[in-house]
Amino acid sequence: MNQAVKGPGDLIREVLEQNQCTVCGLCVGMCPYIKTVSQKVAIIHSCGLKEGNCYKACPRTGINLPELDDMVFGQERKDQALGFNRGIYFARATDTAITQAAQYGGVTTALMAFAVDQGMVSGAALSGGTSLSPRPVIARTAREVISCAGSKYTAVPTLTALNKAVGEGLQCVGVVGRPCQIAAVRKGQALSRTDPSARIPASRAGLVIGLFCFWSLGFDFYRYLEEKAGGDEIVKVDIPVEGLAVTTAKGTGVWPVDEIRPYIREVCNTCADCTSEWADVSVGSTEYDPAWNTLVVRSDAGQSLVNRALEKAVIEIKPYPEERLKILRKAALNKKMRVLQNLDRPGPEYLTVPAEYLSEIKQQWEELQS
Amino acid sequence: MSIFGVGLDQPGRSVLLTGNEAVARGAIEAGVAFAACYPGSPTAEVLPTLAQLGEKFNIYTEFSTNEKVAIEAAAAASFAGLRSLTICKVDGFNVALDFATAISLSGNKGGMVIMVGDDPNAHSSIKEEDCRFLARTASLPLLEPATVMEAKEITKFAFELSEKIMLPVVVRCTTRICHASGDVKLGELPTAEKKASLTRDQKFVTTPLFSQFMKSKIKNAADMAECSPFNYYTGPENAEKIVIACGPSYNYALEAVEILGLKDSVGVLKISTTWPLPENLILRYLKSAREVVFVEEIDSFLEDGVMTLAAKYWDEVGKVKFYGKNSGHVASPKGPFAGELDPDVVTGCLGKIFNAHYESPGLPNIKEARDLLNNNLPGRELALCAGCPHRASYWAIKTAVELDGRNAIVLGDIGCYSLGLVRTGYSLLQSVHCMGAGIGIASGLGKLDRFQFKQPVIAVLGDSTFYHAAPQALINARYNQSSMLCIILDNETTAMTGHQPHPGRGISATGQPLGKVEIEAILAGMGIPVTVHDPYDVEGTTEVVYKILQETGPRALVLRRACALMAVKGRKKNRVYVDQDKCIGDDCGCARFCSRVFACPANIWDAQRGRASIDEAVCNGCGVCASLCPQQAIVVERTV
Ligand SMILES: Cc1cc2nc3c(=O)[nH]c(=O)nc-3n(C[C@H](O)[C@H](O)[C@H](O)COP(=O)(O)OP(=O)(O)OC[C@H]3O[C@@H](n4cnc5c(N)ncnc54)[C@H](O)[C@@H]3O)c2cc1C
């Protein structure tokens, strides 16, 4: 995607110093010099090399939409709002142990636990820990997958767990990630395809489940959250339309979403993908019924996973209501338009969006208005 | 021979001892009852020698927390009429100086000797300092042995001198005396019973009124120096050219005069009572001399003293030309006021001064030796030992500081970890001065916020240094609420000087259990929040350092892991090796991290196979490199 010889120095200048690091974790652990702590990524020592996979694989040094579409799905997208997909459903897990622990319907956890159980993946890179101190986790059993259920609304560098798992010799590692993380995994896989000698651990990713995500929150959010919890243990954090909902043993408190806006990470304002467009399947809320998820089936692998999960009754699905789909597509397109600056001027430099995609976005946006 | 020789009851027999052992023997022959020391090279072995023989000769020995406490404790024994010895290095004598300047006013009772090690060329020090100026400042007489044998004799004599003039006496030994071995003729062992007695009416107080009394004591010492058997002259009568030398330099000078064939024209005056000087003795030789050369190490103490003397008696001395450090004529390859002398250097200097031909033979076969070694010896940079927990701590601190991104200032201290100054310690440290100074500086930097100084401040120091000098600085930081993080690299020993115990080890100089003085408890008592972590867990340590760095106020972190050399002593080590199928050599983005950047001496590069490798003979099995290898190509076979 980027032809010039570029490496860690360029990564610092173009991404890290510009606050454009998504904290996906892809580059962390690929070498001993890139480290992360508390949602910060830094190159702690100069390796002295001019060229590096850290630069090449970073999702913020170049994303070419049609190229990635082609690599993952073998064809370009028709739906500019949600990206390539084979079907959209309301879905939920059937196991109450999962739904109780999960953010919404537990489809993400159910599918990944199922994949681990069935040996479709040898483990999964997930985001465990608590809302106040989340951390990347390698889950090797269904139980470990379940222990990672629940959304942490901050930028967990999940892909460090993927790198670690690959380093430990795991093949075909499942990933659950935010859109930026899914893009990073796919970019890494694309790189390995064009240059088989490039050693990118992400290329060993197996099933990739993407989350819906319009933004994540910065490190300072923890202090805010801690304050709101008032010292009590946090059971759940959710951001429904009403605002921020924090549940402790004492009950649930809700604060207006405007209060957390200042914590939205700068980098999220230049992200045009809010549904993990290159995942095998994407999962989000329904913004309607918290017991259910939105499930977007995208790739062949995603389809067969869902088929097998349905066969074994691990999840159940129902049709996506037409009016809800319209709302979802509108929201997704709206974000794209904002990021691509209403399509008049070029959007963020790292994004390559061809003219026909841009005109289709415009067209589909207008269709939705009627 | 060593410890056995030191304890032998065979007067007249010659045994081979090191200078440090000779001092111990001298003290034993003098009937020393009490010895206290904070270990420092080059004198670190004296106290352990006495400790091993303590039972046999009824000597109490202790490692004190610092030199000031050591000299005070030793003074106590002297006040009670016992003979006492304090052992330190010159840097430690600085610490003890406050008390030293006071006891010269109060005087002492039992013979009290302070052995101070000076380290020309700073072999195991951070600076070269000359303790003779300190002895003069404190008004304590100072003696300097020139040989190992003399080290024993002078030590023994120093106790007698101290009792006669009622002042502690300093014995200055340079590294070449302490660490050299030589024949020592044993003397009689004492038989008198050692009994402490201090009555209510005996007082040891200081008042300025006593200063005249003190001066008269020094005058006494000078009078005694006039006929001291440790000062002597070799050479022609009424020589016009003389060399005045002290310490090991005397031997070099003697040898140089012989090599240059100048024995008939150049005399050599050896002075061992360098302070106060025997004025009449020196004047006797000065009067005939037209050219005088000074040969001594570190500073121009003898030279300055004799030149002052010449000025005082200028009408008797007449016209003399002086050569020495001040004129630049007597200099080590590093310069007149740095480095060490040796026979070759001194012969070269005297040859030039006296116009006598001398061509240094250099080292024989040096070229052949170099060729041979270059191909067969691995290059070894100055670095922490293999498996040293400080390396892991430093990598974690460096990582946390870089992640923090606010340009934290990292201040160092005295210990093995001073290597944080150099490349192999990731050039992390920005200052190293004297024990405890890092925290003092940190407590100052931590108060500069009102001047727009916003960088975090870290002071790094070791456990032994903590007990030695940290508490006062930490109390200051806590009292004044200075924003600084104190990181204690606790390897559970005084590693740099040879694993002497300290309060955190909870064992005495003789190995008896005493109960630990816990660092955490001290900090907690001060009201400084403290966290403890294992530095071998680099990732966890990084997180902890980062987290504490975000906080403000005085705070502390103990990174605790036993010194790798101590941990593996007599024990089985983990085997660590590189799986060369997993290591991808120069194809890895790490750019030879383990052998080049991490810089553990056990991580080496297998040039033949283009892969990383482990020198298993050197490796201490810590496995830290394995946790940092991005290919996870380093395997740790755990046996411990
Ligand atoms: C930062 C963030 C923002 C989001 N914003 C939206 C949104 O605007 N609209 C919407 O519809 N949905 C959003 N989601 C997705 C939603 O919160 C649920 O994660 C999703 O609907 C799946 O629900 P579930 O019940 O299947 O989840 P669960 O079964 O509980 O599984 C959650 C999975 O998410 C992973 N995870 C948790 N936190 C993170 C994280 N920070 N980064 C990467 N992976 C993580 C866990 O490993 C776990 O596997 C967001 C999620 C995150 C993490």
Side-chain angles (χ1 to χ4, degrees):
Chain A
M1 280 174 198
N2 209 311
Q3 298 307 313
V5 170
K6 287 193 170 184
D10 306 279
L11 190 70
I12 292 174
R13 271 187 302 279
E14 295 176 25
V15 179
L16 295 173
E17 287 181 353
Q18 307 300 323
N19 287 334
Q20 288 300 305
C21 171
T22 65
V23 192
C24 67
L26 179 84
C27 62
V28 178
M30 283 207 310
C31 83
Y33 311 114
I34 310 186
K35 299 287 183 190
T36 181
V37 66
S38 301
Q39 295 198 32
K40 262 193 188 170
V41 172
I43 299 187
I44 60 141
H45 184 95
S46 169
C47 63
L49 301 175
K50 291 263 167 303
E51 192 174 9
N53 284 339
C54 56
Y55 184 90
K56 288 192 218 165
C58 173
R60 285 306 178 116
T61 58
I63 288 282
N64 185 313
L65 269 63
E67 263 180 40
L68 275 189
D69 279 355
D70 187 51
M71 188 212 58
V72 182
F73 308 114
Q75 54 189 291
E76 293 187 1
R77 64 185 64 189
K78 300 203 173 53
D79 185 344
Q80 290 295 346
L82 303 179
F84 181 87
N85 66 77
R86 296 156 191 275
I88 299 178
Y89 310 94
F90 267 22
R92 69 173 176 193
T94 52
D95 183 347
T96 50
I98 291 178
T99 50
Q100 269 163 16
Q103 191 65 18
Y104 302 118
V107 170
T108 315
T109 298
L111 288 179
M112 197 48 90
F114 179 63
V116 169
D117 237 7
Q118 300 290 305
M120 294 152 83
V121 293
S122 57
L126 304 176
S127 307
T130 63
S131 287
L132 282 176
S133 69
R135 61 192 162 82
V137 168
I138 306 171
R140 293 161 203 270
T141 62
R143 258 192 47 202
E144 284 168 5
V145 174
I146 295 169
S147 76
C148 292
S151 300
K152 293 86 193 173
Y153 286 98
T154 48
V156 186
T158 321
L159 299 184
T160 61
L162 172 61
N163 291 344
K164 218 174 241 172
V166 171
E168 283 172 18
L170 265 61
Q171 299 287 335
C172 193
V173 182
V175 178
V176 174
R178 306 182 300 278
C180 48
Q181 296 176 309
I182 304 307
V185 169
R186 293 306 192 201
K187 196 180 167 190
Q189 288 177 328
L191 256 174
S192 301
R193 245 177 244 189
T194 47
D195 174 11
S197 71
R199 291 163 200 272
I200 311 224
S203 67
R204 314 259 189 94
L207 269 175
V208 173
I209 302 183
L211 303 174
F212 286 14
C213 170
F214 283 75
W215 36 251
S216 63
L217 301 168
F219 188 74
D220 293 341
F221 173 65
Y222 293 123
R223 206 166 304 150
Y224 174 87
L225 190 57
E226 220 170 354
E227 204 178 286
K228 295 299 170 212
D232 297 318
E233 197 190 326
I234 296 169
V235 181
K236 186 169 182 168
V237 176
D238 194 11
I239 312 183
V241 246
E242 300 84 354
L244 173 76
V246 181
T247 308
T248 65
K250 291 195 183 130
T252 300
V254 181
W255 289 269
V257 80
D258 280 344
E259 272 195 25
I260 58 167
R261 278 198 196 283
Y263 302 111
I264 296 175
R265 303 171 66 236
E266 191 182 331
V267 60
C268 299
N269 296 330
T270 51
C271 174
D273 174 5
C274 48
T275 60
S276 294
E277 291 167 3
W278 297 289
D280 290 314
V281 300
S282 300
V283 187
S285 77
T286 58
E287 307 242 312
Y288 176 69
D289 183 348
W292 290 78
N293 284 114
T294 299
L295 171 65
V296 183
V297 181
R298 299 185 185 277
S299 70
D300 289 342
Q303 183 71 66
S304 77
L305 168 70
V306 169
N307 289 348
R308 283 174 69 177
L310 286 170
E311 242 169 65
K312 296 267 156 93
V314 167
I315 60 167
E316 56 183 315
I317 57 174
K318 60 184 186 185
Y320 210 86
E322 200 54 49
E323 70 287 358
R324 297 303 316 169
L325 184 60
K326 220 171 148 182
I327 293 169
L328 174 62
R329 295 190 67 237
K330 234 177 174 168
L333 273 179
N334 191 22
K335 168 110 169 129
K336 263 187 218 287
M337 310 250 294
R338 216 170 38 234
V339 170
L340 301 174
Q341 306 194 356
N342 293 324
L343 315 177
D344 298 339
R345 281 170 288 146
E349 225 174 287
Y350 79 97
L351 281 175
T352 304
V353 191
E356 64 268 28
Y357 274 36
L358 289 176
S359 64
E360 280 171 27
I361 292 172
K362 208 173 214 168
Q363 192 191 332
Q364 292 181 15
W365 172 252
E366 277 156 14
E367 281 168 19
L368 274 175
Q369 303 309 308
S370 54
Chain B
M1 189 57 79
S2 70
I3 195 71
F4 171 69
V6 178
L8 269 182
D9 187 10
Q10 293 179 11
R13 180 169 164 188
S14 266
V15 296
L16 187 71
L17 298 181
T18 66
N20 282 336
E21 288 163 349
V23 168
R25 173 70 190 199
I28 290 171
E29 287 182 12
V32 72
F34 192 109
C37 164
Y38 181 82
S41 292
T43 55
E45 296 79 24
V46 178
L47 191 99
T49 306
L50 289 171
Q52 285 185 63
L53 295 167
E55 203 60 45
K56 187 168 171 188
F57 295 109
N58 190 21
I59 305 166
Y60 169 75
T61 52
E62 75 169 36
F63 278 116
S64 314
T65 46
N66 70 28
E67 296 83 355
K68 182 167 178 287
V69 180
I71 192 178
E72 287 157 355
S78 166
F79 294 161
L82 298 168
R83 288 190 164 183
S84 77
L85 176 66
T86 312
I87 307 123
C88 59
K89 69 186 291 179
V90 61
D91 312 67
F93 195 36
N94 290 331
V95 176
L97 198 63
D98 203 1
F99 184 77
T101 57
I103 195 173
S104 55
L105 285 169
S106 80
N108 60 311
K109 196 164 101 193
M112 180 170 172
V113 174
I114 305 159
M115 182 212 190
V116 182
D118 271 6
D119 189 14
N121 205 34
H123 290 287
S124 44
S125 312
I126 53 135
K127 62 180 190 287
E128 291 168 271
E129 189 185 345
D130 197 319
C131 75
R132 296 175 296 182
F133 293 96
L134 304 181
R136 193 175 66 192
T137 300
S139 289
L140 303 181
L142 178 138
L143 306 171
E144 276 188 83
T147 63
V148 172
M149 173 65 197
E150 218 177 45
K152 190 209 84 174
E153 294 300 331
I154 281 187
T155 304
K156 192 173 165 189
F157 168 72
F159 283 98
E160 291 159 24
L161 177 62
S162 168
E163 267 165 28
K164 274 195 193 126
I165 61 170
M166 290 198 297
L167 278 180
V169 173
V170 179
V171 176
R172 180 202 195 214
C173 293
T174 58
T175 305
R176 296 293 166 190
I177 293 290
C178 297
H179 291 173
S181 292
D183 269 341
V184 174
K185 200 165 154 202
L186 301 179
E188 301 275 347
L189 289 170
T191 48
E193 195 199 350
K194 299 168 183 174
K195 193 163 181 305
S197 149
L198 182 58
T199 55
R200 273 292 295 145
D201 57 352
Q202 287 176 315
K203 294 198 160 66
F204 299 90
V205 291
T206 65
T207 125
L209 291 176
F210 292 171
S211 60
Q212 208 43 49
F213 183 40
M214 177 185 77
K215 291 290 175 205
S216 73
K217 289 178 180 179
I218 292 295
K219 176 79 177 52
N220 274 350
D223 291 345
M224 288 169 73
E226 295 290 358
C227 49
S228 165
F230 302 115
N231 300 327
Y232 41 83
Y233 174 80
T234 323
E237 281 297 311
N238 302 321
E240 291 199 354
K241 299 171 180 173
I242 60 168
V243 178
I244 306 182
C246 58
S249 304
Y250 164 69
N251 308 306
Y252 311 154
L254 212 56
E255 202 173 323
V257 168
E258 177 149 2
I259 291 170
L260 296 169
L262 296 173
K263 274 170 76 176
D264 295 337
S265 56
V266 177
V268 182
L269 177 60
K270 168 183 178 288
I271 299 291
S272 275
T273 59
T274 5
W275 202 81
L277 281 175
E279 295 195 349
N280 295 327
L281 175 77
I282 294 170
L283 268 181
R284 193 182 320 147
Y285 297 97
L286 268 189
K287 280 179 189 164
S288 63
R290 296 300 78 164
E291 290 180 283
V292 177
V293 184
F294 300 99
V295 184
E296 62 188 317
E297 284 178 307
I298 299 191
D299 218 321
S300 58
F301 186 82
L302 187 59
E303 179 174 338
D304 295 352
V306 173
M307 280 163 74
T308 307
L309 190 66
K312 194 163 143 192
Y313 298 99
W314 64 274
D315 49 342
E316 292 174 53
V317 172
K319 201 171 162 199
V320 189
K321 198 158 166 43
F322 293 109
Y323 303 93
K325 289 180 184 290
N326 288 306
S327 70
H329 284 86
V330 180
S332 88
K334 288 186 175 168
F337 290 97
E340 237 180 347
L341 300 177
D342 62 31
D344 188 51
V345 167
V346 173
T347 311
C349 296
L350 292 188
K352 269 196 205 128
I353 295 165
F354 294 133
N355 234 334
H357 178 75
Y358 175 66
E359 202 173 309
S360 167
L363 290 171
N365 301 337
I366 185 84
K367 194 187 161 310
E368 290 85 337
R370 232 179 237 145
D371 289 347
L372 200 72
L373 294 181
N374 275 355
N375 299 330
N376 293 298
L377 268 186
R380 288 259 187 259
E381 245 178 296
L382 188 62
L384 295 161
C385 306
C388 178
H390 299 335
R391 180 180 297 100
S393 294
Y394 276 163
W395 189 254
I397 296 170
K398 173 189 164 77
T399 304
V401 163
E402 294 296 333
L403 281 161
D404 176 75
R406 288 176 294 165
N407 290 316
I409 302 291
V410 189
L411 307 160
D413 226 294
I414 307 292
C416 302
Y417 48 86
S418 299
L419 286 173
L421 282 169
V422 301
R423 191 196 74 89
T424 54
Y426 319 126
S427 308
L428 197 61
L429 303 181
Q430 288 168 261
S431 79
V432 170
H433 292 90
C434 61
M435 293 183 78
I439 308 182
I441 299 171
S443 86
L445 281 175
K447 293 304 299 181
L448 300 186
D449 48 337
R450 72 161 72 185
F451 306 111
Q452 290 82 49
F453 184 82
K454 303 285 182 218
Q455 289 146 268
V457 178
I458 303 175
V460 177
L461 77 164
D463 42 343
S464 196
T465 301
F466 175 87
Y467 295 107
H468 180 286
Q472 290 80 1
L474 282 166
I475 293 169
N476 184 59
R478 163 63 186 78
Y479 168 48
N480 292 303
Q481 283 300 317
S482 173
S483 197
M484 53 93 89
L485 166 60
C486 169
I487 301 184
I488 298 136
L489 308 180
D490 182 359
N491 59 5
E492 302 180 332
T493 186
T494 315
M496 193 162 79
T497 46
H499 299 124
Q500 292 83 2
H502 61 52
R505 275 279 284 290
I507 53 169
S508 73
T510 53
Q512 301 305 308
L514 297 172
K516 292 183 184 184
V517 182
E518 303 269 2
I519 294 176
E520 295 93 304
I522 296 172
L523 290 164
M526 291 177 188
I528 296 179
V530 56
T531 311
V532 183
H533 205 87
D534 175 3
Y536 277 0
D537 166 23
V538 175
E539 203 178 312
T541 303
T542 303
E543 273 175 38
V544 169
V545 174
Y546 180 90
K547 192 170 149 261
I548 303 178
L549 216 46
Q550 309 314 307
E551 294 159 10
T552 54
R555 53 221 193 275
L557 169 65
V558 178
L559 295 177
R560 179 168 294 140
R561 176 55 86 151
C563 168
L565 299 184
M566 198 169 70
V568 300
K569 220 174 215 167
R571 261 176 257 171
K572 235 179 132 179
K573 312 190 262 192
N574 292 327
R575 178 174 177 237
V576 180
Y577 64 93
V578 174
D579 178 346
Q580 293 197 337
D581 295 331
K582 274 183 118 184
C583 171
I584 53 175
D586 282 335
D587 285 341
C588 183
C590 78
R592 301 190 193 175
F593 167 73
C594 59
S595 61
R596 189 180 63 92
V597 178
F598 188 56
C600 173
N603 291 101
I604 53 176
W605 179 250
D606 178 348
Q608 229 157 31
R609 304 195 50 198
R611 292 286 183 269
S613 174
I614 303 261
D615 183 341
E616 292 190 32
V618 173
C619 176
N620 281 316
C622 73
V624 171
C625 60
S627 75
L628 296 171
C629 169
Q631 303 301 333
Q632 300 182 31
I634 305 178
V635 185
V636 185
E637 269 175 22
R638 297 231 169 248
T639 53
V640 286

